Amino acid sequence: MSRRARGRFSNFCNKDLIVLLDMDQVLADFEGYFLKRYKERFPNDPFIPLEERKGFFIRDQYAKLRDDLPDKVRAVYNEEGFFRDLPEIEGAVSAALEMSKMEGLEVFLCSSPLTEYQYCLTEKFEWIEKHLGPEFLDYVILTKDKTVINGHILIDDRPRIKGSCKSPIWEHIVFNACHNLTSEVDGKRRLNNWTDGKWRDIIEDFKKRI
Ligand SMILES: Cc1cn([C@H]2C[C@H](OP(=O)(O)O)[C@@H](CO)O2)c(=O)[nH]c1=O
Ligand SMILES: [Mg+2]
């Protein structure tokens, strides 16, 4: 965020720091659970181990293996219960809860729904209620376009986040995931995990800068 944009934002924002947390692959283990369900449902089809995943959309990499696989990939995450039953990324829930209690800081969940929204939309809310508690339901932003959302930091596994706004107001911290480890991130900071405590350094760093 430029100094000018930050100044403008601080004038209308009554919290010192607004953190936007992505859900899939930041809080919830989309990739790991996808692979488990895919192997259970299609045991005789080829699969891509997590160490070999590359690129954001799972279906794009499966399409390179065989023409019929993208539909099978979609069938897995469009299934009832997929989003509801996603396991937590290690340490994510306790980090989000700790962050949300920090002085002068507001945490919002900022997640994109699938276009096939039938289960995904409500199940994302169910996941939040179950793992983070009902109080968090007031801090949910579901949007296809994260660039138009206000906040100081967006922690998200997607290496490039595009949308209608060319210069989003937030700074993107790339959360490391199997699919993005070799992706070009245009000099953005990365966060490895929720367990080594480095997320607190990033928050403290931002508090000093704004
Ligand atoms: C199709 C697809 C979706 N997703 C996630 C990203 C979005 O959630 P989030 O914005 O919480 O990361 C959601 C809808 O696209 O599903 C993947 O992570 N990989 C995929 O291949
Ligand atoms: Mg994500």
Side-chain angles (χ1 to χ4, degrees), residues 47-81:
F47 67 89
I48 298 167
L50 295 183
E51 314 79 69
E52 291 171 26
R53 273 280 298 119
K54 276 191 174 48
F56 184 71
F57 289 110
I58 299 176
R59 61 175 180 270
D60 291 348
Q61 198 177 357
Y62 277 73
K64 291 180 192 147
L65 293 182
R66 229 171 57 198
D67 284 354
D68 63 318
L69 295 184
D71 283 347
K72 290 181 171 175
V73 167
R74 278 193 202 91
V76 172
Y77 52 67
N78 286 336
E79 192 177 40
E80 182 174 5

Side-chain angles (χ1 to χ4, degrees), residues 119-200:
Y119 302 120
C120 162
L121 272 178
T122 48
E123 290 183 9
K124 277 185 179 285
F125 279 90
E126 283 180 57
W127 195 97
I128 292 161
E129 188 171 30
K130 178 178 164 198
H131 292 270
L132 294 165
E135 315 77 49
F136 248 97
L137 295 173
D138 290 339
Y139 296 89
V140 182
I141 302 166
L142 295 183
T143 176
K144 283 286 199 187
D145 188 343
K146 297 183 187 181
T147 69
V148 299
I149 306 297
N150 283 320
H152 296 94
I153 312 176
L154 169 65
I155 301 180
D156 200 300
D157 61 302
R158 190 167 182 164
R160 289 202 167 110
I161 299 177
K162 298 255 182 307
S164 304
C165 182
K166 248 200 273 173
S167 316
I169 202 141
W170 33 257
E171 183 171 323
H172 179 193
I173 307 289
V174 179
F175 195 83
N176 279 352
C178 57
H179 65 77
N180 71 20
L181 294 179
T182 56
S183 305
E184 176 51 60
V185 294
D186 311 318
K188 284 176 250 181
R189 278 168 85 167
R190 283 180 179 264
L191 184 59
N192 247 327
N193 55 54
W194 291 113
T195 50
D196 66 7
K198 295 239 167 81
W199 66 267
R200 292 190 197 90

